[in-house]
Amino acid sequence: MKRALSIALCALLMTACLTGAGMAEGKALNTLYSSEISTLNYLTTSTTKDFAISANVIDTLVEYDRYGNIQPSLAEKWEMSEDGLTWTFHLRRDAVWVNAKGEVQANVTANDFVSAAKYLLDDKNASSTANLFYSVIAGAEAYYKSTVPAAEGEAAKTPVDFETVGVKALDEYTLQYTLAAPCAYFESMMTYVCFMPVYGPFLEEKGDRFGVADDENSILYCGAYILSEFKPQEVRVLSKNPAYWDKDNVKIDTIRSTFNKEASSIGAEMYKRGEIDSASIDVTTAASWLKDPETEKLIRPVRQTSFYSYFYCLNFDANFDEAYEPENWTKAVNNEAFRKSLYHGLDRVKAMLITEPDNPESIIFNTIVPTNYATLDGIDYTLVGDLKAITELGTGTFDAEKALAFKAQAIQELTAAGATFPVKILLKYNPRVSGWDNECLVIEQQLEALLGTDYIDVIVEAGPADGFLSEVRRSGNYALLKCNWGPDYADPQTFTDPFRKGNNYSFIDKSADTEALDYYYGLVEAAKAEAFDLTVRYETFAKAEAFLIDHAYVIPFGFGNGGYVASRIDPFTSQFAPYGFTNERYKGSEILSEPMDTDAYFDAYDQWIEDRASQTK
């Protein structure tokens, strides 16, 4: 059963709502997992599988509700100074640290955030997220660098006093951060692991054993759940924290996850038998289940909570074998008409059928920044300023008439520039990524059928399974390549990083049209400089992004995955955010008495839009 969803509608989706389906009486959830965590030390890790635990057992200063709005959490209130440099958080007094048995150990205080900062800014602790912290906090980078041991032959580092770092406990329940510069997205950073607290005396007591991956007693807990049972590669159990300050909003009492390396292949049948409450459904299984009136009721589309944006890069620094004619490609890619012939010639719906065979339109978007990611006064960022017209094209970016017109123009201009035809287009894929090879073949056949083999010769080639990024994308060993980018914080600025000067995505700074690029980079810098007026900031970022798309420096594609899932969790009761680990949290999630099918899912989607929109009126 399928229901089409327009891109214009997708662009409005930001929030969540109750579905109207009944909620289950039972409050236990059984799941499978196939890969063990590497650590419980949330101050050092940067991997999603580790976040799946830490997100649920450690609270942050703020959190998101199911509509994507920032809400108080460990901080009851906060304020920013007029110059945007000082943020003061006032902590609640009823948050406590507990052990794995749920026994209270201490109150959560401002000193716990200072202890965490000092730990992650010490190079010996090898925190993977220290750079995110010191990218915004005054004095943090200088302190961190002072802890890095001097290389052999270098003079010893000059010690830096931690008091110079912009994190202070003004009193037991007042925390203050001082920024190096005003930061428009600082609030959203509070939901990331590097801003989590730690109880200092416990950290000191545990030493190197803090957060080890095989012991639930190696950390203390201040979140909605505690890791009450943990047997690596056997089972892990999250139990509702009995001392949690907001326990009334924790709807699921227990999440029991059983280890099984074959979880992805056996999960569907175990779900159908009622042995587990959630399972990923692969494309083949989904196609079969959707044809059966009984099993089609058990699955729904995957809710897009991962904000990785996928786009096709055209390489402006060709570094591939002479057999693929890099010099000729360089002439072609620097011709705007040639780029536009590919932009309008690519039928993304056909290409996306490999990923989402049932409803490909629902995961396609026309911009670099994904839909649902950020809003300005309740309006989705992809509908702001110059991006609005691009978003409202829907799947209309594919336009055979325009593609052929730009082909004719490109042939005339490139012939005069000394280029030859057909232009060879080296299109690479990673053989380890399922379906990528077939997607490339679809693109090859579709583009060549439309534009003609007299004009282009798309050459599909497998890259190495290991080291693909370094050997292909980062080295410029391709002509056309599907790339992706995930956000580091909740602001459009993060999606400009793949196109910055010195980038190793498409190397657009190597484009021959330096005047055009100067215009683009000028817009980006102007947007970055505006930290207070979000209307000006977002509209300027939108103008810069629209420039890249309108001039076909990049071809937006959409989300990287679609597909189906079987789950008793109502996806629209869960916390929702475009950044951090919010979407890993079970707090607020509710269990349905009956599974949600496709029709119910899209009905809930529509209600989600309506409910969120009503908040901004």
Side-chain angles (χ1 to χ4, degrees):
M1 197 173 294
K2 178 174 71 175
R3 180 177 166 193
L5 193 66
S6 71
I7 296 302
L9 189 60
C10 285
L12 296 174
L13 299 179
M14 264 300 292
T15 57
C17 68
L18 288 171
T19 66
M23 296 300 170
E25 292 295 327
K27 293 186 178 181
L29 191 76
N30 293 296
T31 67
L32 297 179
Y33 72 102
S34 60
S35 179
E36 194 53 84
I37 62 172
S38 59
T39 182
L40 286 170
N41 189 342
Y42 49 90
L43 294 177
T44 61
T45 188
S46 61
T47 65
T48 301
K49 66 180 179 182
D50 296 337
F51 292 170
I53 299 292
S54 55
N56 287 289
V57 301
I58 305 294
D59 262 7
T60 43
L61 289 167
V62 303
E63 64 184 17
Y64 287 88
D65 65 12
R66 59 193 176 95
Y67 295 100
N69 301 314
I70 288 179
Q71 300 293 314
S73 183
L74 290 178
E76 290 184 310
K77 60 181 180 178
W78 57 94
E79 63 267 356
M80 178 187 72
S81 62
E82 287 188 9
D83 62 6
L85 294 177
T86 304
W87 289 74
T88 305
F89 293 86
H90 305 276
L91 274 58
R92 63 177 59 257
R93 297 175 182 239
D94 55 350
V96 295
W97 292 103
V98 301
N99 60 20
K101 295 180 181 178
E103 299 166 339
V104 175
Q105 305 296 297
N107 287 346
V108 176
T109 69
N111 287 314
D112 299 333
F113 292 88
V114 178
S115 296
K118 192 169 185 178
Y119 179 87
L120 70 91
L121 290 176
D122 190 334
D123 176 68
K124 73 180 181 185
N125 295 320
S127 172
S128 299
T129 59
N131 62 315
L132 285 175
F133 189 92
Y134 69 61
S135 70
V136 292
I137 301 299
E141 185 172 10
Y143 177 82
Y144 176 80
K145 288 182 176 179
S146 76
T147 70
V148 179
E152 186 176 349
E154 287 185 352
K157 298 286 181 71
T158 301
V160 174
D161 192 337
F162 186 75
E163 289 297 313
T164 62
V165 178
V167 53
K168 300 285 187 295
L170 301 185
D171 58 43
E172 197 171 11
Y173 294 102
T174 309
L175 174 68
Q176 187 178 87
Y177 287 111
T178 302
L179 309 190
C183 180
Y185 49 85
F186 183 65
E187 264 183 328
S188 72
M189 296 186 77
M190 295 299 95
T191 62
Y192 206 57
V193 286
C194 58
F195 287 94
M196 281 180 163
V198 67
Y199 184 47
F202 182 83
L203 178 65
E204 185 176 351
E205 174 192 332
K206 286 294 182 181
D208 292 341
R209 290 289 298 171
F210 176 75
V212 293
D214 58 356
D215 183 5
E216 66 271 30
N217 297 301
S218 65
I219 61 171
L220 293 183
Y221 306 84
C222 67
Y225 291 91
I226 57 177
L227 188 58
S228 57
E229 182 182 351
F230 184 32
K231 298 176 182 177
Q233 296 192 349
E234 289 186 34
V235 67
R236 57 195 189 208
V237 179
L238 290 173
S239 298
K240 185 174 178 177
N241 182 351
Y244 187 53
W245 63 271
D246 195 25
K247 57 179 175 289
D248 288 346
N249 286 317
V250 182
K251 310 295 185 181
I252 303 175
D253 292 332
T254 306
I255 300 103
R256 184 178 185 86
S257 300
T258 303
F259 178 82
N260 193 307
K261 285 185 178 180
E262 308 302 322
S264 61
S265 58
I266 67 174
E269 286 303 314
M270 289 184 67
Y271 179 86
K272 191 161 64 171
R273 294 195 299 265
E275 297 172 17
I276 58 175
D277 300 309
S278 181
S280 296
I281 307 297
D282 61 42
V283 172
T284 302
T285 302
S288 172
W289 281 25
L290 288 168
K291 293 176 183 176
D292 186 324
E294 293 302 317
T295 53
E296 73 167 350
K297 299 174 183 178
L298 302 178
I299 60 175
R300 61 167 173 82
V302 170
R303 183 190 182 200
Q304 292 295 339
T305 55
S306 171
F307 287 86
Y308 272 86
S309 172
Y310 284 74
F311 42 86
Y312 272 86
C313 285
L314 297 94
N315 182 13
F316 287 85
D317 190 22
N319 185 28
F320 43 77
D321 193 273
E322 288 294 328
Y324 304 113
E325 302 176 358
E327 290 185 10
N328 198 54
W329 166 257
T330 298
K331 291 177 183 178
V333 78
N334 276 289
N335 179 273
E336 184 170 322
F338 177 80
R339 298 196 303 269
K340 286 187 173 180
S341 69
L342 298 181
Y343 173 82
H344 289 293
L346 177 61
D347 188 339
R348 294 175 299 161
V349 173
K350 286 184 178 178
M352 195 66 87
L353 283 168
I354 301 300
T355 300
E356 173 48 89
D358 192 53
N359 194 22
E361 296 88 350
S362 67
I363 58 174
I364 291 173
F365 51 86
N366 299 345
T367 48
I368 300 165
V369 175
T371 56
N372 313 339
Y373 175 74
T375 59
L376 178 65
D377 297 329
I379 299 173
D380 192 271
Y381 170 76
T382 64
L383 292 169
V384 168
D386 290 3
L387 288 178
K388 186 173 188 292
I390 294 173
T391 292
E392 290 180 344
L393 284 172
T395 56
T397 59
F398 171 63
D399 188 319
E401 186 176 341
K402 284 185 178 180
L404 293 172
F406 281 119
K407 169 190 173 180
Q409 180 182 342
I411 289 175
Q412 182 178 3
E413 294 173 353
L414 285 173
T415 299
T420 58
F421 296 93
V423 175
K424 292 184 178 180
I425 304 177
L426 178 59
L427 178 62
K428 288 201 170 185
Y429 66 90
N430 187 335
R432 184 166 287 173
V433 179
S434 177
W436 197 348
D437 53 347
N438 290 331
E439 181 182 299
C440 287
L441 291 174
V442 169
I443 289 174
E444 175 191 17
Q445 295 164 5
Q446 184 263 314
L447 280 176
E448 288 185 349
L450 174 63
L451 297 174
T453 53
D454 60 324
Y455 179 62
I456 56 171
D457 177 14
V458 180
I459 303 168
V460 175
E461 183 178 287
D466 296 317
F468 181 85
L469 288 180
S470 59
E471 293 190 32
V472 177
R473 195 203 76 202
R474 292 170 184 161
S475 65
N477 186 14
Y478 71 92
L480 185 66
L481 181 70
K482 186 171 76 170
C483 299
N484 65 49
W485 183 257
D488 287 331
Y489 43 81
D491 187 87
Q493 177 180 325
T494 189
F495 283 97
T496 66
D497 285 348
F499 310 102
R500 67 186 186 277
K501 292 181 181 179
N503 79 88
N504 57 15
Y505 271 71
S506 61
F507 309 93
I508 65 166
D509 56 331
K510 304 293 186 182
S511 169
D513 194 344
T514 56
E515 185 176 341
L517 288 182
D518 285 344
Y519 174 74
Y520 167 73
Y521 289 127
L523 288 173
V524 170
E525 291 307 311
K528 287 181 179 179
E530 181 50 72
F532 298 104
D533 190 331
L534 286 186
T535 298
V536 173
R537 181 181 179 88
Y538 278 30
E539 287 182 351
T540 307
F541 273 129
K543 184 182 288 291
E545 181 173 338
F547 179 85
L548 287 184
I549 298 168
D550 285 338
H551 294 274
Y553 283 101
V554 62
I555 304 175
F557 194 59
F559 290 112
N561 66 310
Y564 284 77
V565 65
S567 177
R568 289 181 61 212
I569 292 181
D570 180 345
F572 302 109
T573 57
S574 304
Q575 293 185 6
F576 178 81
Y579 165 73
F581 49 65
T582 293
N583 300 304
E584 300 293 335
R585 282 181 161 161
Y586 286 104
K587 180 181 177 180
S589 299
E590 300 191 33
I591 298 177
L592 294 165
S593 56
E594 297 292 335
M596 180 184 288
D597 65 12
T598 298
D599 282 348
Y601 175 81
F602 282 120
D603 285 343
Y605 234 1
D606 293 344
Q607 188 64 48
W608 182 25
I609 300 166
E610 184 180 331
D611 286 355
R612 184 188 180 279
S614 67
Q615 293 186 343
T616 61
K617 292 179 180 178

